[in-house]
Amino acid sequence: MRFRNDLTWADVTPRPLWLNRRVMLAGAGALLATPALATPALARIEAAKSAFSTTDAPNSLEDITTYNNFYEFGTGKEDPATYAGGLTTDPWSIVIDGLVDKPGTYDLADVMKDQPLEERIYRFRCVEAWSMIVPWIGFEMAGLLNRVGVQPGAKFVAFETLVRPEEMPGQSSPFIEWPYREGLRLDEAMHPLTILATGLYGEPMPKQNGAPIRLVVPWKYGFKSIKSIVKISLVAEMPKTTWNMLQPGEYGFYSNVNPTVDHPRWSQASERRIGSGLFGGRQDTLMFNGYEEQVASLYAGQDLAADY
Amino acid sequence: MDRLNSALRRVPTWVVYLAGVLPFLWLAWNTVQGNLGPDPVKAVEHRLGELGLQLLLASLAVTPLRRVGLNLLRYRRALGLLTFGYVALHLTAWVWLDMGLRWSEVTADLWKRPYIILGMVGFVVLLPLAATSSNAAIRRIGPVAWRRLHRLAYVAVIAGVAHLLLLVKVWTLSELTYVAIAILLLGVRLWPATRPQSRAAA
């Protein structure tokens, strides 16, 4: 007889409740002064420290996991945390195709095989002018690209997110032409700052943040860092990207963080750091989100106002 | 409908003021309690703007409802003043909490950003309406001129809805609902008025 699942979403513990349980567990742990009890019973991912990490204090796990955009689950900032619980992330495979020596459908474990995991504490700047500090865990995109073998004609990397409307309620919305698409120029994808992230805060990637594997490109606006990737294609032409398809005048292919190039509807000169409270005010946005020293050379000779 | 109207006549206007202030108190309570999530600034700012727009639409619904026989006229001043209060708080939240009193960026936005300009237009046209809301002001101006002046509420609602549409990244059902209600409330005003009394007589 086949297994029948008669559980429904009504049986799932709401996230605020289990977060509360964690707080209680942590409290109990502190009370007993036994660190083993205070940490959640998940295996912490081993990851090396990185010189690319910022020394700024990261946002809390709660900030990072309850306030983000992931339109596959809805347009509200709290929608991903509310609706991502039903996403199946295991099994997971990624199609790698196009101008590569070893195209194929790679199981997630295979994608990650032999790629050294590092903790990268990066600034994260949303195009909506808010920002966070996130302690990602991941490996350099270049490691994977080198393994699959990039052929000489490849100039760009195109990415696609999973399409599974039965688990991603936001995909029933017609406002976006699914799948969500993103892309990088090959030199951007090969840059050591560019990572494929599989975790944060020592834990596997939370579903609402793009489990099981997502891109993180810290010098670009957050929407470039595509989540829940199922396809990576090496291509010769600049690929179509979702926000550019929606509003070409507002969201360019590059979308580098740049305080001097405004969004047509709002200024990008400053940003609000999430977690700084009601009276936290604003801070100046940094060129390339503070990674100018590492990445400015990629754009030598380019007019960044034209190539926004 | 007559029974409903006479029952409503017994509800004093302070009840409407009180009901209108409750969402603010609730918001303030949730702010103090830290219930607004990781970004309390946006939550406060959006809620105040949302309440301002909802109350403005409510005050613009009074006249069309009178046409179908429901008389809420004596609560319109309360609705209008509450609208003004929430829009003023929304503006304050933007300048203070959101922009962090960065006046150079605030003034730059006021010149350059259509959605900011529209929001400010909506606020500015509410100023003379709030200032002329008293009985004394109506007497001083005269009812005909007063009614003409208060058509600025139409400008305010168009500016308010356009402000909302320009500021969001994608239009969802919620934004389109505000648009539809605003179009409906302005649209019915273009229809020739039929007085409920004359219909009752016929």
Side-chain angles (χ1 to χ4, degrees):
Chain A
M1 191 182 149
R2 287 187 54 178
F3 169 72
R4 274 173 57 96
N5 184 1
D6 51 5
L7 292 172
T8 68
W9 274 105
D11 297 304
V12 177
T13 308
R15 187 176 173 89
L17 282 184
W18 69 253
L19 279 175
N20 272 342
R21 285 180 201 161
R22 284 190 170 195
V23 172
M24 288 195 305
L25 270 179
L31 203 69
L32 296 167
T34 47
L37 265 181
T39 46
L42 285 161
R44 282 187 72 84
I45 300 171
E46 291 296 320
K49 300 263 178 258
S50 166
F52 287 128
S53 288
T54 167
T55 51
D56 291 359
N59 278 79
S60 70
L61 181 63
E62 195 191 347
D63 285 351
I64 296 167
T65 55
T66 62
Y67 187 92
N68 68 320
N69 285 321
F70 195 170
Y71 278 24
E72 277 76 353
F73 297 103
T75 53
K77 297 282 184 292
E78 67 294 334
D79 286 340
T82 310
Y83 299 114
L87 180 66
T88 308
T89 55
D90 186 18
W92 194 273
S93 57
I94 300 180
V95 172
I96 302 179
D97 64 7
L99 301 166
V100 287
D101 296 332
K102 290 174 236 164
T105 301
Y106 290 75
D107 188 67
L108 179 64
D110 195 15
V111 169
M112 294 176 66
K113 200 177 73 174
D114 299 330
Q115 302 295 342
L117 289 180
E118 286 186 17
E119 182 187 60
R120 298 280 181 102
I121 306 172
Y122 280 162
R123 285 175 288 274
F124 182 95
R125 170 63 156 78
C126 180
V127 73
E128 297 163 3
W130 54 266
S131 64
M132 286 197 192
I133 306 288
V134 186
W136 304 107
I137 289 175
F139 57 91
E140 291 181 7
M141 175 93 214
L144 177 66
L145 292 178
N146 287 334
R147 196 179 132 209
V148 297
V150 178
Q151 294 180 347
K155 296 281 185 291
F156 293 91
V157 187
F159 302 85
E160 284 182 17
T161 295
L162 176 72
V163 180
R164 195 181 285 160
E166 63 274 23
E167 290 183 358
M168 299 175 130
Q171 287 182 336
S172 60
S173 153
F175 298 110
I176 287 175
E177 188 188 325
W178 311 102
Y180 191 90
R181 282 161 256 218
E182 261 310 333
L184 295 173
R185 216 168 54 191
L186 187 59
D187 58 343
E188 297 174 327
M190 294 294 284
H191 193 280
L193 278 172
T194 303
I195 59 168
L196 288 168
T198 53
L200 62 85
Y201 259 120
E203 293 184 24
M205 187 65 72
K207 290 179 178 177
Q208 60 268 41
N209 295 91
I213 186 165
R214 63 169 291 168
L215 184 70
V216 179
V217 196
W219 71 93
K220 292 175 180 284
Y221 293 120
F223 68 86
K224 293 294 291 182
S225 294
I226 185 170
K227 306 181 187 78
S228 303
I229 298 167
V230 293
K231 192 172 181 200
I232 300 174
S233 309
L234 276 293
V235 293
E237 305 292 331
M238 184 181 282
K240 293 213 281 184
T241 56
T242 291
W243 280 102
N244 182 251
M245 289 159 71
L246 276 170
Q247 297 282 350
E250 299 190 345
Y251 309 99
F253 175 80
Y254 289 96
S255 288
N256 294 315
V257 176
N258 187 339
T260 65
V261 176
D262 289 339
H263 185 282
R265 286 182 287 151
W266 56 82
S267 162
Q268 297 289 23
S270 62
E271 65 202 45
R272 289 184 312 109
R273 176 65 51 80
I274 299 302
S276 60
L278 199 59
F279 302 101
R282 286 183 168 250
Q283 57 191 65
D284 291 335
T285 289
L286 304 170
M287 187 64 200
F288 293 115
N289 203 23
Y291 300 97
E292 185 172 14
E293 197 186 317
Q294 289 88 0
V295 302
S297 59
L298 294 177
Y299 308 100
Q302 259 180 283
D303 176 1
L304 294 174
D307 294 337
Y308 57 90
Chain B
M1 192 65 89
D2 283 346
R3 214 176 316 153
L4 184 60
N5 280 331
S6 62
L8 279 169
R9 253 196 300 279
R10 281 195 288 277
V11 179
T13 50
W14 63 260
V15 173
V16 176
Y17 283 107
L18 182 68
V21 169
L22 284 178
F24 174 76
L25 296 176
W26 179 241
L27 182 64
W29 168 255
N30 279 319
T31 307
V32 173
Q33 292 294 305
N35 293 339
L36 298 179
D39 192 4
V41 173
K42 273 284 177 263
V44 166
E45 187 181 38
H46 285 176
R47 184 70 184 131
L48 292 170
E50 190 179 31
L51 285 162
L53 184 57
Q54 287 168 353
L55 283 159
L56 180 58
L57 291 169
S59 61
L60 283 169
V62 168
T63 297
L65 286 175
R66 249 156 65 92
R67 286 206 203 167
V68 296
L70 184 64
N71 193 350
L72 300 170
L73 190 60
R74 55 194 292 257
Y75 308 112
R76 191 169 63 182
R77 178 186 295 161
L79 293 171
L81 285 173
L82 284 164
T83 300
F84 177 73
Y86 279 111
V87 172
L89 285 169
H90 172 65
L91 172 63
T92 309
W94 173 64
V95 172
W96 186 15
L97 306 181
D98 188 341
M99 298 310 291
L101 302 177
R102 291 184 165 219
W103 292 104
S104 60
E105 282 180 47
V106 167
T107 43
D109 277 359
L110 279 172
W111 278 110
K112 282 166 76 176
R113 314 281 161 213
Y115 85 92
I116 298 282
I117 295 167
L118 282 163
M120 192 53 85
V121 166
F123 172 73
V124 168
V125 299
L126 288 179
L127 283 170
L129 306 196
T132 58
S133 63
S134 65
N135 289 337
I138 299 172
R139 271 195 301 275
R140 195 170 60 243
I141 303 171
V144 175
W146 186 89
R147 266 202 296 275
R148 202 181 304 133
L149 175 68
H150 279 245
R151 285 191 193 135
L152 282 174
Y154 307 157
V155 178
V157 78
I158 292 167
V161 168
H163 166 74
L164 174 68
L165 287 181
L166 283 182
L167 99 107
V168 293
K169 275 208 299 192
V170 287
W171 296 352
T172 65
L173 194 61
S174 131
E175 284 83 37
L176 298 177
T177 307
Y178 284 115
V179 175
I181 295 172
I183 289 173
L184 181 75
L185 292 177
L186 294 178
V188 292
R189 288 172 158 80
L190 298 174
W191 286 72
T194 332
R195 293 191 177 279
Q197 296 92 314
S198 59
R199 244 191 308 174

